[in-house]
Amino acid sequence: GVLTQAEVLQYVLIRQAREAIDSDKERHNLICDFCLAYMSSLEANAASATPALECLATALLWRLGQAEEAVNMLSARRERQKVLASKNNAMKDASPPGALMVIGN
């Protein structure tokens, strides 16, 4: 079967991250790297990471002392949201009044 992002978070990543807190830094790095790779894979397939996944990745980076990378990730997310909002507004402006608009990636 296929797991949703929520299921991957709930059954795999959060559990592993919780255990890694009391474990060695290498395991913590591995979980963080997996989160970041998973988020990149989602983006490569025109899907967005859930806010919960982004929060976990941010928390893991922060805990590992990689605050700059966390800030960069959040800044990039904000820029993507601005671009998407701009595209959506352009689509709304170009649509005739009363037209039904379907927004997708």
Side-chain angles (χ1 to χ4, degrees):
V2 176
L3 295 176
T4 65
Q5 284 186 58
E7 291 169 331
V8 169
L9 276 164
Q10 181 181 1
Y11 299 117
V12 180
L13 295 175
I14 292 175
R15 272 188 197 165
Q16 293 298 318
R18 219 182 270 147
E19 290 174 12
I21 288 172
D22 301 325
S23 184
D24 61 307
K25 191 172 180 178
E26 185 177 323
R27 185 170 178 198
H28 205 108
N29 274 316
L30 180 65
I31 294 163
C32 186
D33 289 345
F34 178 84
C35 280
L36 296 174
Y38 182 44
M39 289 172 59
S40 293
S41 176
L42 289 168
E43 279 187 20
N45 289 292
S48 298
T50 61
L53 180 58
E54 290 177 337
C55 286
L56 178 62
T58 302
L60 290 169
L61 286 168
W62 208 274
R63 185 156 182 102
L64 289 167
Q66 298 176 15
E68 187 174 329
E69 189 171 342
V71 169
N72 290 339
M73 182 182 73
L74 294 173
S75 295
R77 180 182 190 272
R78 184 176 17 178
E79 289 303 313
R80 285 191 308 273
Q81 287 177 329
K82 285 181 185 178
V83 169
L84 183 59
S86 177
K87 285 181 183 178
N88 289 340
N89 286 336
M91 288 176 62
K92 286 179 190 176
D93 293 343
S95 299
L100 178 63
M101 184 174 71
V102 178
I103 299 173
N105 289 340

